[in-house]
Amino acid sequence: MIERVGADYCNKLQHPRLLKTHFSHHNCPQNNLSKYIFACRNPKDCLVSYYHHNKNFKIYDWADGNFDQFFQLFIEGKLAFGDYFEHLKSWLPQKLNNKNLLFLKYEDMLKDLKGAIILIAKFLGENSANLIENSQILEKIIKESQLESMQQNQTRWFPGNALHNESFIRKGCARDWKNYLSREQSDLIDELFKQRMAGTEAENWWKDEMRWEDDEDENEEYKQHQSEEETTNNDSGMESGDDEENCFESQNRRDSVTSECYSTTSCSSDTSSNF
């Protein structure tokens, strides 16, 4: 990592070099012969991952840190490497203007690891592109890139004496933020994302990953709604055919409201509480 080892160390490395950094675009060294891969993640999961990162690394002195305090520091941009939104915005223009930059979203890599590996190899070109033509090599790369493999021998990522817990690789999933953020905190990030990313390509990213409701929530709410409606209909003496029609109409109404809410970046708490 450039900011950890310094320029002198990097300059002594044999080419071709693989360098990692958390720099914003304006702080990152630029070279027309270099290729850049920018990986980003939705702010809610990024926040939770960064919270555990800070708790684990001794250098941050946050082993006993409070999540709510960390949340406040995150949304105020007062953590190492600065403001999440400004960092993302610094790289966004390069996505369209720099042919030597590959933009990747963490969630897309989770959904299609093989596709991401092929995309990276073709972007790097030359020997990397040739290697993935060999199916055995490609399958080995896929296997070594999976969470189970990366969780083995974790001192290869960072020396154990730098961490409180040697498990540097934690979960590797999406929507883990639901286990940490309150509804109020979730809505606040939604609103910040809407404001700060307005007018950029990113304003329409991560709708599914950031929405409060998940599929299980929807199913449980619908089952409860259906059960309540059946009870009401039975009490009123409605025929079974009328009952089925009402449930169908109710489901159609609910889907349209849900779809409308999810088509925006932020859902206010009073709207969301209606379904």
Side-chain angles (χ1 to χ4, degrees):
M1 195 163 65
I2 298 175
E3 54 268 33
R4 184 170 181 265
V5 299
D8 290 341
Y9 177 87
C10 294
N11 288 332
K12 295 175 183 177
L13 294 175
Q14 185 176 358
H15 290 255
R17 302 173 298 175
L18 175 62
L19 304 175
K20 176 184 175 183
T21 181
H22 294 97
F23 284 150
S24 297
H25 178 261
H26 55 269
N27 287 327
C28 188
Q30 303 296 315
N31 188 318
N32 291 333
L33 299 178
S34 299
K35 293 206 170 183
Y36 300 82
I37 299 176
F38 181 80
C40 56
R41 192 176 191 179
N42 80 77
K44 297 179 183 180
D45 278 324
C46 181
L47 160 62
V48 171
S49 177
Y50 201 19
Y51 166 68
H52 286 284
H53 179 89
N54 276 257
K55 283 179 70 69
N56 198 11
F57 273 79
K58 295 177 181 178
I59 191 173
Y60 292 118
D61 194 23
W62 193 263
D64 300 318
N66 176 278
F67 179 78
D68 290 336
Q69 291 176 333
F70 191 86
F71 174 88
Q72 196 63 33
L73 292 171
F74 180 87
I75 64 173
E76 293 176 1
K78 294 181 178 179
L79 296 171
F81 309 111
D83 183 272
Y84 166 91
F85 303 99
E86 289 302 315
H87 186 276
L88 177 57
K89 286 172 68 175
S90 76
W91 284 96
L92 278 174
Q94 305 302 315
K95 185 174 184 291
L96 298 176
N97 302 327
N98 189 344
K99 65 179 182 179
N100 287 333
L101 172 67
L102 175 63
F103 229 88
L104 292 175
K105 284 184 275 190
Y106 184 89
E107 295 79 6
D108 291 343
M109 291 187 279
L110 285 178
K111 293 174 184 176
D112 184 10
L113 178 59
K114 180 178 179 180
I117 290 171
I118 293 174
L119 185 65
I120 292 170
K122 289 183 176 180
F123 168 73
L124 295 175
E126 299 180 356
N127 188 48
S128 298
N130 294 331
L131 283 174
I132 62 166
E133 295 298 324
N134 185 314
S135 60
Q136 291 183 331
I137 293 177
L138 177 58
E139 289 304 316
K140 182 179 180 181
I141 295 172
I142 294 172
K143 181 179 179 180
E144 292 297 321
S145 301
Q146 291 174 343
L147 181 66
E148 294 79 6
S149 295
M150 295 182 69
Q151 286 178 326
Q152 298 175 12
N153 304 320
Q154 294 206 35
T155 52
R156 58 186 161 148
W157 309 119
F158 270 95
N161 60 6
L163 310 174
H164 292 293
N165 182 340
E166 290 187 3
S167 297
F168 177 68
I169 306 295
R170 198 174 62 91
K171 280 192 173 182
C173 64
R175 289 182 62 80
D176 186 40
W177 61 265
K178 280 292 295 282
N179 297 315
Y180 294 86
L181 270 65
S182 67
R183 181 59 187 266
E184 182 181 4
Q185 290 172 331
S186 174
D187 287 347
L188 179 55
I189 292 184
D190 285 340
E191 186 59 33
L192 282 173
F193 190 85
K194 180 180 179 180
Q195 293 174 3
R196 303 288 294 277
M197 295 296 111
T200 72
E201 179 183 349
E203 67 179 341
N204 294 313
W205 290 358
W206 298 309
K207 291 185 181 298
D208 289 337
E209 290 83 0
M210 289 177 61
R211 63 189 175 109
W212 179 261
E213 296 82 359
D214 55 28
D215 293 338
E216 290 184 4
D217 292 336
E218 291 184 18
N219 290 336
E220 287 302 317
E221 288 176 9
Y222 175 61
K223 288 177 182 178
Q224 182 179 359
H225 176 81
Q226 189 176 36
S227 176
E228 291 173 353
E229 189 166 278
E230 287 175 353
T231 301
T232 302
N233 290 340
N234 288 337
D235 290 343
S236 63
M238 292 180 65
E239 297 294 332
S240 60
D242 294 332
D243 181 42
E244 291 175 2
E245 183 178 357
N246 268 9
C247 284
F248 178 74
E249 290 176 354
S250 174
Q251 175 66 18
N252 282 344
R253 288 196 301 271
R254 185 175 183 280
D255 285 348
S256 66
V257 173
T258 306
S259 175
E260 182 180 352
C261 183
Y262 293 163
S263 69
T264 64
T265 305
S266 174
C267 300
S268 63
S269 58
D270 56 336
T271 302
S272 301
S273 64
N274 290 333
F275 46 85

